């Protein structure tokens, strides 16, 4: 909200000489966020004065233009002697023709600096020495019009006659301090000069004059007919103004204020509605009465209904959109934007002024659904004072009468009624208790009454002390909860008066098991050479299609975003891998080809699909509401994923390059598990997006928690990844849940180890993990370690089989093992492997 200081001063009795920056400090202490204070017109300096046209000569030029050689009186202080004029004058070349002899204009003389740093000097042009310049709007920075120069009125705003040599800054509203304020959603009433002036007056202790000075009457239907068919519009005021002159321009003061407030001047009638909206906070809309057909009806949209809005866009409407309609159909998107069919034309002479109040939630949904922010919707979706509608409509009508020459029709329409404001009861000592600063009960009452609240003080008793019954004013829909009133008191006391006390931290319990586990895993992965990324948690169905994910896979349980950042990624992700694939693309496109990237984060798996209820903000949600919200949320497990491509180790003097591939993918998973004391088992698997013959499932505690391996060639092509790219993805929550709770450090034995190697022939369909598990179980507690050191095919190994060679290490903690004990443990291990896996001891 941009607020000129001079406009604010018309509504609040500011201290004499107060600057915009001084007022900004006051508002900041009250909790408003003043982003900047712009000194409008401060870049204009030097002699810029009022001049009177004495004479001019039109001089056609060879280039087809006709310039005017103008003699202009700029006051005795600035005039140069001239033989034809006793008072003297200045001679200026001017390309505009929209002035006559006797007109008052704005003249910048040599030495002046105009908007944008444009310096004025006497210069020779078109055969003359132009001793200055007659100014247009854009040259002074007060508008964008360059079609002609500024012609001033004969008198200033106070009725004093303008004379040559006078300073035109006042009549042009050239200089002002403009406060640019970022208004938070809970104080929407400050999106108006009225609201900001009220805040300034209360915090300065100065008199505030409210422009909303007409009480809203009971329903009356003497004006243009209006019918309300939806509760989302509780109040609608319609006034008719006839006989306006559509060609009348907006007065300079009005147009200038709109420009300083960040809006452009369009036409007189439209400028008036925008001016009243900025002043009161009540958005207005003006209809060309001749284009209305039948009564105005406020209702919800029908299926397939369309509306062409003022921005010339045809919009297909939703059944939840609130409309303004007549017998022809939709003529406006309520609280957001009007329709093209009834907009004001250059020939409009009769206007119906609408001032209505709409449900903030309905307007908020509509503006987001259609991506159609506007000055009106910005106010309505925060909440507009319903009591302002009637006064604002009459203010706009009065300006149409005074400035456009119209006549206010006698009949008026007020449909609906003011909503009832909620009452709240609080202890007068609550603000002091919460804010931590002494605020007497009398001061609390004073502040709340100054804020417009209806305060009733109950008789004190020993149990409760002073109790305050509070009803907020109509412009404060944010005051509902007791702590809303506490915040209001705190803002008016001044946030700078509230002491900053850092609470003493309680004795910590340390990291939770999950937090400690995640930190340990991240530390281990980074130490092993992986680089952690953070990608956006969004995805698309196309990502899953390119990954080859089947239709019945849980990763197809997508959660769609209501308002996605990009339509190409309208869902929350169900896998981390697509984001990492995109990161690989970005890096390889910049010749960074050797990559080991990983990310840990949440994925989102849709549940029942039922929408979560939206509880009222007026009270704490019930247990049933909280349970329903919880049930509607998607499941959000924490996943861990990595992608590898290029070289794990580059070629050098000490050896050839080592490619990054499936070995490092498995090492990544093992490293993550090992960091929390877990040991993963592997089994053959075939799942997207991995190569069916080069993929393994990762098993912990009998539960599959992820997969690792080389990506499918089709997936590599679809995502534009380097050949033989490998990936791993696992459920980190499951890993932490199944990991051992703590650990035991085994005592170091001082007895020697007994080494035995076995080579077993098994069918190709038997996994190494199954054989290793059988040997471990069969060897018993004497087995210290087991390691696969060779895989052999061919020779004496039958077709369809392979030889797996394991190194077994045996040790006892209390004695040196005998050969008999070692042999027995080995034989038991081989026997169980034969029983479970069909393994046969290989003969050499």
């Amino acid at each position: 909200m941009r607020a000129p200081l001079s406009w604010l001063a018309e509504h609040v009795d500011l201290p004499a000489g107060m600057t915009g920056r001084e007022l900004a400090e006051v508002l900041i202490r009250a909790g408003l966020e003043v982003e900047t204070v712009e000194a409008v017109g401060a870049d204009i300096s030097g002699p810029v004065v009022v001049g009177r046209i004495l004479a001019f000569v039109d001089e056609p030029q060879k280039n087809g233009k006709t310039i005017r050689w103008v003699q202009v009186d700029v006051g005795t202080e600035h005039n140069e002697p001239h033989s034809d004029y006793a008072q003297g004058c200045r001679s200026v070349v001017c390309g505009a023709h929209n002035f006559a002899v006797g007109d008052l204009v704005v003249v910048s003389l040599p030495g002046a600096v105009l908007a944008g740093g444009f310096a004025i000097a006497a210069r020779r042009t078109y055969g003359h020495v132009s001793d200055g310049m007659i100014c247009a709007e854009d040259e002074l920075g007060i508008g964008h019009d360059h079609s002609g120069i500024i012609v001033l009125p004969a008198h200033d705003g106070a009725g004093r006659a303008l004379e040559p040599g006078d300073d035109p800054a006042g009549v042009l509203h050239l200089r002002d301090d403009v406060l640019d304020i970022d208004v938070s959603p809970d104080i929407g009433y400050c999106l108006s000069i009225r609201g900001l002036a009220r805040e300034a007056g209360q915090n300065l202790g100065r008199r505030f004059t409210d422009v909303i000075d007409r009480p809203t009457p009971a329903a009356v239907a003497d004006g243009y007919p209006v019918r309300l068919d939806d509760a989302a519009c509780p109040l609608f005021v319609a006034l008719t103004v006839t006989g306006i002159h559509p060609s009348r321009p907006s007065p300079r003061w009005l147009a200038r204020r709109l420009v300083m407030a960040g809006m452009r001047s369009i036409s007189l009638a439209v400028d008036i509605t925008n001016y009243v909206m900025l002043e009161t906070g009540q958005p207005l809309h003006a209809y060309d009465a001749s284009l209305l057909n039948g009564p105005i009806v406020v209702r919800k949209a029908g299926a397939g209904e369309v509306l062409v809005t003022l921005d010339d866009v045809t919009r297909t409407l939703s059944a939840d959109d609130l409309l303004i309609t007549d017998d022809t159909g939709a003529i406006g998107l309520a609280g957001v934007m009007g329709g093209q069919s009834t907009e004001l034309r250059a020939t409009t002479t009769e206007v119906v002024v609408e001032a209505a109040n709409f449900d903030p939630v309905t307007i908020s949904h509509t503006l987001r659904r259609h991506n159609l922010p506007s000055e009106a919707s910005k106010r309505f979706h925060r909440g507009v004072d319903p009591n302002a509608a009637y006064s604002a409509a009459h203010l706009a009508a009065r300006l149409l009468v005074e400035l456009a020459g119209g006549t206010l029709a006698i009949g008026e329409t007020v449909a609906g009624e003011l909503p009832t404001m909620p009452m709240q009861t609080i202890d007068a000592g609550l603000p002091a208790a919460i804010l931590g600063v002494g605020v007497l009960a009398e001061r609390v009452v004073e502040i709340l009454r100054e804020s417009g609240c209806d305060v009733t003080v109950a008789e004190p008793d020993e149990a409760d002390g002073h109790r305050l019954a509070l009803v907020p004013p109509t412009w404060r829909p944010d005051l509902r909860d007791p702590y809303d009133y506490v915040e209001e008191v705190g803002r008016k006391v001044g946030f700078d008066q509230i002491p900053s006390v850092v609470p003493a931290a309680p004795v910590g319990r340390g990291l939770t098991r999950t937090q400690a586990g995640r930190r340990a895993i991240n530390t281990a992965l980074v130490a092993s050479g992986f680089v952690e990324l953070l990608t956006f948690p969004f995805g698309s169905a196309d990502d899953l299609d390119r990954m080859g994910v089947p239709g019945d896979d849980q990763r197809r349980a997508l959660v769609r975003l209501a308002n996605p950042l990009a339509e190409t990624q309208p869902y929350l992700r169900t896998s981390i891998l697509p984001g990492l694939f995109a990161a690989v693309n970005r890096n390889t496109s910049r010749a960074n080809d050797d990559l080991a990237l990983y990310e840990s984060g949440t994925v989102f798996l849709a549940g029942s699909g039922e929408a979560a209820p939206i509880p009222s903000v007026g009270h704490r949600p019930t247990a049933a509401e909280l349970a329903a919200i919880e049930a509607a949320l998607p499941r959000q497990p924490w996943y861990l994923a990595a992608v590898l491509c290029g070289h794990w180790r580059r070629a050098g003097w000490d050896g050839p390059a080592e490619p990054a591939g499936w070995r490092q993918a498995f090492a990544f998973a093992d490293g993550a598990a090992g960091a929390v004391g877990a040991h993963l088992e592997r089994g053959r698997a075939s799942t997207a997006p991995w190569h069916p013959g080069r993929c393994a499932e990762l098993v912990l505690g009998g539960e599959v928690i992820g997969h690792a391996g080389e990506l499918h060639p089709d997936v590599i092509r679809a995502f534009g990844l380097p050949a033989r790219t490998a990936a791993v993805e696992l459920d980190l929550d499951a890993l932490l849940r199944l990991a051992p709770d703590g650990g035991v450090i085994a005592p170091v034995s001082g007895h020697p180890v007994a080494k035995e190697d076995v080579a077993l022939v098994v069918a190709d369909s038997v996994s190494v993990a199954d054989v290793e598990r059988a040997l471990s179980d069969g060897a018993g507690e004497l087995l210290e370690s087991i390691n696969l050191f060779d895989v052999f095919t061919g020779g004496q190994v039958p077709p369809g089989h392979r030889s797996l060679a394991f190194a077994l290490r045996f040790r006892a903690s209390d004695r040196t093992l005998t050969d008999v004990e070692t042999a027995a443990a080995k034989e038991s291990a081989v026997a169980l492997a034969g029983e479970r896996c069909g393994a046969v001891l290989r003969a050499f």
Side-chain angles (χ1 to χ4, degrees):
M1 175 70 191
R2 289 174 56 85
L5 184 65
S6 61
W7 200 351
L8 289 168
E10 291 184 3
H11 299 272
V12 61
D13 182 23
L14 295 177
M18 172 171 266
T19 66
R21 294 197 177 278
E22 290 170 342
L23 179 57
E25 291 297 325
V26 173
L27 296 178
I28 290 171
R29 288 197 297 270
L32 278 75
E33 186 176 344
V34 182
E35 295 189 329
T36 61
V37 178
E38 180 183 356
V40 174
D43 55 344
I44 297 175
S45 61
V48 179
V49 299
V50 174
R52 176 176 284 115
I53 304 297
L54 298 176
F56 61 83
V57 177
D58 289 335
E59 298 182 354
Q61 303 297 312
K62 293 179 181 180
N63 60 7
K65 294 178 62 177
T66 298
I67 62 98
R68 283 183 171 180
W69 177 236
V70 184
Q71 312 305 315
V72 56
D73 178 7
V74 292
T76 55
E77 180 183 350
H78 304 288
N79 283 335
E80 295 290 340
H82 194 282
S83 59
D84 294 337
Y85 305 103
Q87 75 274 29
C89 68
R90 292 283 183 127
S91 300
V92 178
V93 172
C94 183
H97 301 85
N98 64 317
F99 57 89
V101 172
D103 281 348
L104 295 175
V105 295
V106 180
V107 184
S108 56
L109 300 173
V113 178
L114 302 186
F118 181 47
I120 302 299
R123 65 189 183 94
R124 189 166 192 83
T125 180
Y126 293 108
H128 301 283
V129 175
S130 183
D131 202 15
M133 184 175 73
I134 303 176
C135 299
E137 282 187 357
D138 60 337
E139 291 157 343
L140 294 175
I142 61 175
H144 304 286
D145 186 10
H146 195 71
S147 61
I149 54 94
I150 299 171
V151 177
L152 297 172
H155 299 81
D156 62 14
R160 187 182 66 86
L162 291 176
E163 297 293 340
D166 287 349
D167 185 352
V171 70
L172 292 176
H173 304 275
L174 185 61
R175 296 183 177 87
D176 207 339
D177 285 348
V178 178
L179 285 72
D180 192 349
I181 302 171
D182 184 11
V183 178
S184 59
D186 60 325
I187 52 174
Y189 65 95
C190 285
L191 285 170
S192 67
I193 297 296
R194 176 199 183 205
L196 293 173
R198 185 190 301 276
E199 288 291 315
Q202 187 173 356
N203 286 280
L204 288 168
R206 311 288 290 196
R207 182 174 57 84
F208 163 72
T209 303
D210 197 350
V211 69
I212 302 302
D213 54 1
R214 293 173 180 253
T216 303
V220 59
D222 296 336
Y224 198 91
V226 175
R227 188 174 79 244
L228 306 182
D229 286 352
D230 196 279
C233 178
L235 182 68
F236 194 109
V237 177
L239 302 180
T240 302
V241 180
T242 62
I244 68 171
H245 297 279
S247 61
R248 285 194 180 180
S250 296
R252 187 169 301 282
W253 63 266
L254 190 152
R256 180 62 174 152
R257 280 188 170 174
L258 290 179
V259 170
M260 285 194 291
M263 302 186 74
R264 62 188 180 93
S265 177
I266 299 173
S267 67
L268 178 56
V270 174
D271 288 355
I272 286 173
T273 60
N274 286 335
Y275 177 85
V276 173
M277 175 189 68
L278 291 171
E279 185 163 71
T280 67
Q282 170 66 54
L284 304 177
H285 188 71
Y287 302 94
D288 186 326
S290 67
L291 300 176
L292 290 172
N293 289 277
I296 291 175
V297 179
V298 184
R299 61 169 174 81
K300 289 290 177 64
E305 200 165 0
V306 297
L307 169 67
V308 181
T309 45
L310 289 174
D311 56 357
D312 199 28
V313 176
T314 300
R315 302 183 186 277
T316 301
L317 305 175
S318 163
D320 293 328
D321 290 332
L322 190 67
L323 299 182
I324 311 297
T325 68
D326 65 4
D327 288 348
T328 65
I331 60 173
L333 202 53
V336 178
M337 186 173 287
Q340 200 176 76
S341 62
T342 56
E343 70 173 322
L344 301 184
R345 267 72 166 171
T347 57
T348 299
T349 59
E350 185 174 348
V351 171
V352 174
V353 177
E354 164 206 308
N357 191 262
F358 302 111
D359 172 52
V361 175
T362 300
I363 304 306
S364 178
H365 289 172
T366 295
L367 77 90
R368 285 170 172 79
R369 188 180 301 115
H370 295 281
N371 192 23
L372 190 58
S374 65
E375 290 293 333
S377 64
K378 181 166 68 174
R379 288 163 173 80
F380 277 125
H381 94 269
R382 285 172 165 85
V384 170
D385 180 7
N387 195 45
Y390 186 75
S391 290
H394 273 277
L395 177 56
R398 178 171 62 80
L399 291 174
L400 286 169
V401 171
E402 294 176 359
L403 303 179
T407 301
L408 177 61
I410 296 175
E412 63 182 21
T413 296
V414 179
E417 60 183 4
L418 292 176
T420 302
M421 301 304 291
M423 190 183 78
Q424 184 61 257
T425 302
I426 70 169
D427 188 331
L430 181 64
I434 299 299
L435 297 174
V437 62
V439 187
L440 298 176
E442 293 77 8
R443 179 59 178 151
V444 171
V445 172
E446 179 186 1
I447 288 173
L448 294 178
R449 283 178 174 163
E450 289 176 351
S451 296
C453 298
D454 182 3
V455 182
T456 303
V457 182
E459 289 296 326
D461 57 50
E462 294 182 0
D464 295 331
H466 287 280
R467 300 290 293 176
L468 307 180
L470 307 171
V471 178
T474 53
W475 64 85
R476 295 298 302 271
D478 59 302
L479 297 178
R480 305 180 66 90
D481 187 87
Y483 299 98
D484 295 332
Y485 290 96
V486 172
E487 180 182 2
E488 179 67 11
V489 172
R491 288 179 57 238
K492 299 306 162 57
V493 167
F495 289 149
D496 59 323
Q497 300 300 311
I498 300 174
S500 298
V501 179
V502 179
V507 176
R509 299 180 179 179
L511 298 176
T512 65
R513 182 173 181 269
T514 298
Q515 290 170 333
R518 288 178 183 169
R519 288 196 181 187
I521 289 171
N522 278 336
T523 300
L525 295 177
V526 171
S528 64
F530 287 84
V531 176
E532 184 179 13
L533 302 183
L534 289 175
T535 63
F536 285 116
F538 309 125
S540 67
D542 178 63
D543 290 339
L544 301 180
D545 293 338
R546 288 188 289 163
M547 287 171 62
V549 176
D552 59 351
D553 192 288
Q554 71 166 355
R555 288 171 288 181
R556 290 283 183 179
L558 296 168
V559 179
R560 187 175 183 89
L561 295 165
N563 189 26
L565 292 180
E567 287 300 329
T568 55
Q569 291 189 312
Y571 300 100
L572 291 171
R573 67 186 179 190
T574 56
S575 170
I576 296 177
L577 290 177
L580 292 176
F581 294 162
V584 170
N585 285 148
R586 284 192 294 274
N587 279 271
T588 55
S589 68
R590 292 160 176 81
N592 189 16
D593 300 321
D594 302 329
L595 302 170
L597 309 177
Y598 86 97
E599 180 177 3
S600 63
T602 50
V603 298
F604 305 84
L605 305 172
S608 64
E610 295 184 4
I614 302 177
S616 169
V617 298
H619 58 79
R620 189 183 190 284
T622 64
E625 287 174 329
L626 292 174
I629 293 172
E630 182 71 24
L633 291 176
R635 193 163 62 86
Q636 302 172 50
W638 199 280
Y639 272 30
L640 177 67
V643 176
L644 300 107
C645 63
H647 293 110
W648 180 256
R649 186 173 65 85
R650 295 178 180 176
W653 63 268
D654 55 344
E658 179 184 352
W662 61 268
R663 289 180 177 85
Q664 286 75 26
F666 287 129
F668 175 90
D670 290 340
V676 291
H679 175 70
L680 297 177
E681 297 178 352
R682 304 171 194 160
R684 288 186 177 181
S686 178
T687 187
W690 287 275
H691 192 300
R694 299 172 185 172
C695 170
E697 61 185 17
L698 307 174
V699 181
L700 181 60
E703 183 178 326
V704 176
I705 67 168
H707 296 83
E710 192 174 296
L711 293 174
H712 196 290
D714 290 344
V715 175
I716 290 174
R717 282 191 293 271
F719 284 93
L721 303 174
R724 308 299 294 269
T725 296
V728 54
E729 186 169 41
L730 56 89
D731 186 336
L732 187 56
D733 283 346
L735 171 61
L736 296 173
R737 172 171 50 84
L738 297 170
D741 190 4
V744 176
I745 299 176
V748 178
S749 174
H751 299 282
V753 65
K755 302 178 180 180
E756 294 285 347
D757 294 341
V758 296
L760 303 176
V761 177
V762 296
D764 287 342
S765 60
V766 178
S767 70
V768 173
D770 289 341
V771 178
E772 183 177 312
R773 190 181 305 110
L775 288 172
S776 180
D777 292 346
E781 62 182 10
L782 295 179
L783 181 67
E784 184 177 80
S785 66
I786 179 171
N787 181 51
L788 175 71
F789 68 87
D790 184 59
V791 179
F792 177 76
T793 58
Q796 299 177 351
V797 178
H801 291 69
R802 55 182 173 166
S803 171
L804 305 177
F806 293 90
L808 308 180
R809 299 294 181 262
F810 298 95
R811 194 195 310 258
S813 61
D814 58 346
R815 66 189 187 283
T816 299
L817 294 177
T818 64
D819 292 342
V820 173
E821 289 176 305
T822 303
K826 171 184 173 182
E827 290 171 3
S828 177
V830 171
L832 189 57
E835 180 182 332
R836 290 185 182 177
C837 307
V840 177
L841 193 64
R842 178 182 168 194
F844 292 93

